[in-house]
Amino acid sequence: APILLEWSAAGKPFTVRAAAIGSLGNVDKKNSAITKALAGYLDEPYRLVQFSTILALGRRGDPEAVPALEALIKRSQEVEGGGFTSGQVVSFAQAQVARLKQAAAAAEKK
Protein backbone atom coordinates (compact mmCIF):
# COMPACT_ATOMS: atom_id res chain seq x y z
CA ALA A 1 0.00 0.00 0.00
CA PRO A 2 2.76 2.56 0.68
CA ILE A 3 4.07 2.31 -2.89
CA LEU A 4 0.55 2.68 -4.29
CA LEU A 5 -0.01 5.75 -2.12
CA GLU A 6 3.25 7.21 -3.39
CA TRP A 7 2.25 6.67 -7.03
CA SER A 8 -1.29 7.92 -6.49
CA ALA A 9 -0.05 11.32 -5.31
CA ALA A 10 -0.29 14.56 -7.25
CA GLY A 11 2.56 15.13 -9.65
CA LYS A 12 2.69 11.58 -10.98
CA PRO A 13 1.47 10.87 -14.55
CA PHE A 14 -2.33 10.71 -14.70
CA THR A 15 -2.55 7.19 -16.07
CA VAL A 16 -0.15 5.89 -13.42
CA ARG A 17 -2.07 7.74 -10.71
CA ALA A 18 -5.37 6.28 -11.93
CA ALA A 19 -3.93 2.76 -11.85
CA ALA A 20 -2.47 3.26 -8.36
CA ILE A 21 -5.73 4.75 -7.09
CA GLY A 22 -7.71 1.87 -8.55
CA SER A 23 -5.40 -0.62 -6.89
CA LEU A 24 -5.81 1.12 -3.53
CA GLY A 25 -9.49 0.21 -3.72
CA ASN A 26 -8.52 -3.44 -3.31
CA VAL A 27 -5.78 -3.43 -0.67
CA ASP A 28 -5.71 -3.11 3.11
CA LYS A 29 -9.44 -2.31 3.26
CA LYS A 30 -9.40 -1.92 7.05
CA ASN A 31 -6.86 0.92 6.83
CA SER A 32 -8.87 4.14 7.19
CA ALA A 33 -5.77 6.22 6.37
CA ILE A 34 -5.98 4.92 2.80
CA THR A 35 -9.66 5.87 2.64
CA LYS A 36 -8.81 9.36 3.89
CA ALA A 37 -6.00 9.75 1.36
CA LEU A 38 -8.31 8.67 -1.46
CA ALA A 39 -11.07 11.01 -0.26
CA GLY A 40 -8.60 13.88 -0.54
CA TYR A 41 -8.22 13.19 -4.26
CA LEU A 42 -11.90 13.96 -4.81
CA ASP A 43 -11.09 17.67 -4.45
CA GLU A 44 -8.88 17.63 -7.52
CA PRO A 45 -10.30 19.06 -10.74
CA TYR A 46 -9.09 16.14 -12.87
CA ARG A 47 -11.94 13.87 -13.94
CA LEU A 48 -9.71 10.82 -14.47
CA VAL A 49 -8.51 11.11 -10.88
CA GLN A 50 -12.06 11.68 -9.62
CA PHE A 51 -13.53 8.69 -11.45
CA SER A 52 -10.72 6.38 -10.33
CA THR A 53 -11.11 7.61 -6.76
CA ILE A 54 -14.89 7.24 -6.70
CA LEU A 55 -14.68 3.64 -7.85
CA ALA A 56 -11.79 2.84 -5.49
CA LEU A 57 -13.70 4.23 -2.51
CA GLY A 58 -16.71 2.11 -3.43
CA ARG A 59 -14.57 -1.03 -3.66
CA ARG A 60 -12.99 -0.32 -0.27
CA GLY A 61 -16.40 -0.53 1.37
CA ASP A 62 -15.49 1.99 4.08
CA PRO A 63 -18.53 4.06 5.11
CA GLU A 64 -16.13 6.83 6.22
CA ALA A 65 -15.94 7.75 2.52
CA VAL A 66 -19.63 8.72 2.35
CA PRO A 67 -19.25 12.37 3.51
CA ALA A 68 -16.46 13.04 1.00
CA LEU A 69 -18.48 11.47 -1.82
CA GLU A 70 -21.59 13.43 -0.85
CA ALA A 71 -19.55 16.65 -0.83
CA LEU A 72 -18.31 15.84 -4.33
CA ILE A 73 -21.88 15.25 -5.48
CA LYS A 74 -22.93 18.60 -4.09
CA ARG A 75 -20.00 20.43 -5.69
CA SER A 76 -20.57 18.76 -9.04
CA GLN A 77 -24.26 19.64 -9.01
CA GLU A 78 -23.46 23.27 -8.22
CA VAL A 79 -21.05 23.67 -11.14
CA GLU A 80 -22.49 26.33 -13.39
CA GLY A 81 -23.99 24.64 -16.42
CA GLY A 82 -23.40 21.20 -14.96
CA GLY A 83 -22.39 19.47 -18.14
CA PHE A 84 -22.20 15.88 -19.25
CA THR A 85 -19.04 15.13 -17.30
CA SER A 86 -20.45 16.58 -14.08
CA GLY A 87 -23.51 14.40 -14.53
CA GLN A 88 -21.31 11.33 -14.89
CA VAL A 89 -19.40 12.21 -11.73
CA VAL A 90 -22.67 12.64 -9.84
CA SER A 91 -24.05 9.33 -11.11
CA PHE A 92 -20.91 7.38 -10.23
CA ALA A 93 -20.62 9.00 -6.82
CA GLN A 94 -24.30 8.45 -6.00
CA ALA A 95 -24.00 4.77 -6.90
CA GLN A 96 -21.01 4.37 -4.59
CA VAL A 97 -22.73 6.23 -1.74
CA ALA A 98 -25.72 3.91 -2.06
CA ARG A 99 -23.39 0.90 -2.12
CA LEU A 100 -21.51 2.04 0.98
CA LYS A 101 -24.66 2.88 2.92
CA GLN A 102 -26.20 -0.47 2.04
CA ALA A 103 -23.07 -2.31 3.19
CA ALA A 104 -22.99 -0.31 6.44
CA ALA A 105 -26.65 -1.08 7.12
CA ALA A 106 -26.07 -4.79 6.48
CA ALA A 107 -23.06 -4.77 8.83
CA GLU A 108 -25.14 -3.16 11.59
CA LYS A 109 -27.76 -5.91 11.34
CA LYS A 110 -25.14 -8.59 12.03
Side-chain angles (χ1 to χ4, degrees):
I3 291 172
L4 292 172
L5 283 169
E6 178 185 337
W7 282 97
S8 70
K12 301 294 184 186
F14 285 117
T15 55
V16 174
R17 286 188 75 198
I21 289 167
S23 295
L24 285 168
N26 298 316
V27 298
D28 201 4
K29 291 185 178 185
K30 301 284 185 193
N31 187 338
S32 63
I34 294 173
T35 300
K36 288 177 185 173
L38 287 171
Y41 299 152
L42 292 173
D43 292 331
E44 293 188 27
Y46 310 110
R47 295 296 187 210
L48 178 60
V49 172
Q50 287 180 344
F51 283 119
S52 298
T53 303
I54 291 165
L55 295 174
L57 287 170
R59 282 196 306 273
R60 291 189 64 72
D62 187 345
E64 289 183 27
V66 169
L69 287 166
E70 288 177 334
L72 175 66
I73 291 166
K74 184 177 180 184
R75 284 192 312 273
S76 294
Q77 289 173 331
E78 291 173 350
V79 172
E80 189 169 325
F84 181 68
T85 307
S86 291
Q88 287 178 316
V89 169
V90 169
S91 294
F92 279 128
Q94 286 173 332
Q96 298 312 312
V97 167
R99 178 181 182 181
L100 292 170
K101 285 182 176 181
Q102 183 179 19
E108 286 180 12
K109 289 182 180 179
K110 289 183 180 181

